[in-house]
Amino acid sequence: MKKVLAGVEFAAVFLLLILSGIVFLQVLLRNFFETGFVWNEELSRFLLLSIVLLAAPVVFYRDDHVRFDMLAVRFSGRFRKIQSLVSVLVVVAFYCVYIISHLMLMKNSGNVRSPSLNLPNSIFFSAGLIGAVLGVGAGLSRFFRILFFGGRK
């Protein structure tokens, strides 16, 4: 799982570089040449969505999400372990619901195309499905790490 998520992290960084480049290009074209590309904003939206949805399982696996632990730090290690296990299961359940709803949505509107890039929704939102599947894997991996090793990385 670690190697797969490292590859996903690399892909997200690569997409971020592409996103930065096309946004910079669009800013230059609009400000200095009073023109721009129609497809640029749609591609930017697609890349930003893809980066977030692909990087979320990486952060989840590493346990690097922002958290509010005012109550958890006041309780024993056993309570914190149970709280961590429950929170991981809740996130995994969310990912599972997302996968089901994603598949239902794509069944009905997967062939609808985006306006300027002419991409079908099934491709446009594919990063969400990939991220959710990876999120389930990352969550299950974290669950068993917490259960058997106390959450050590």
Side-chain angles (χ1 to χ4, degrees), residues 30-90:
R30 284 187 178 176
N31 290 323
F32 296 110
F33 300 104
E34 296 181 9
T35 187
F37 297 116
V38 177
W39 53 265
N40 202 325
E41 287 190 37
E42 190 173 300
L43 182 59
S44 298
R45 192 175 310 118
F46 169 69
L47 290 173
L48 182 61
L49 182 69
S50 298
I51 291 165
V52 169
L53 293 174
L54 289 174
V58 175
V59 177
F60 181 43
Y61 178 80
R62 292 181 183 163
D63 194 23
D64 284 341
H65 278 288
V66 175
R67 75 182 79 223
F68 297 100
D69 58 358
M70 270 188 322
L71 293 176
V73 295
R74 297 179 190 266
F75 293 104
S76 68
R78 182 179 170 100
F79 175 81
R80 281 187 289 212
K81 184 175 182 177
I82 292 169
Q83 181 266 332
S84 293
L85 289 170
V86 169
S87 66
V88 167
L89 288 178
V90 167

Side-chain angles (χ1 to χ4, degrees), residues 7 15 19 39 55 60 88 90 105-106 111 134 139 142 146:
L15 293 176
L19 174 63
W39 53 265
F60 181 43
V88 167
V90 167
L105 177 66
M106 289 305 111
N111 292 329
L134 290 172
R142 273 201 54 214
I146 293 167

Side-chain angles (χ1 to χ4, degrees), residues 135-150:
V136 170
L140 293 176
S141 175
R142 273 201 54 214
F143 180 81
F144 289 115
R145 263 194 338 239
I146 293 167
L147 192 61
F148 295 118
F149 304 108

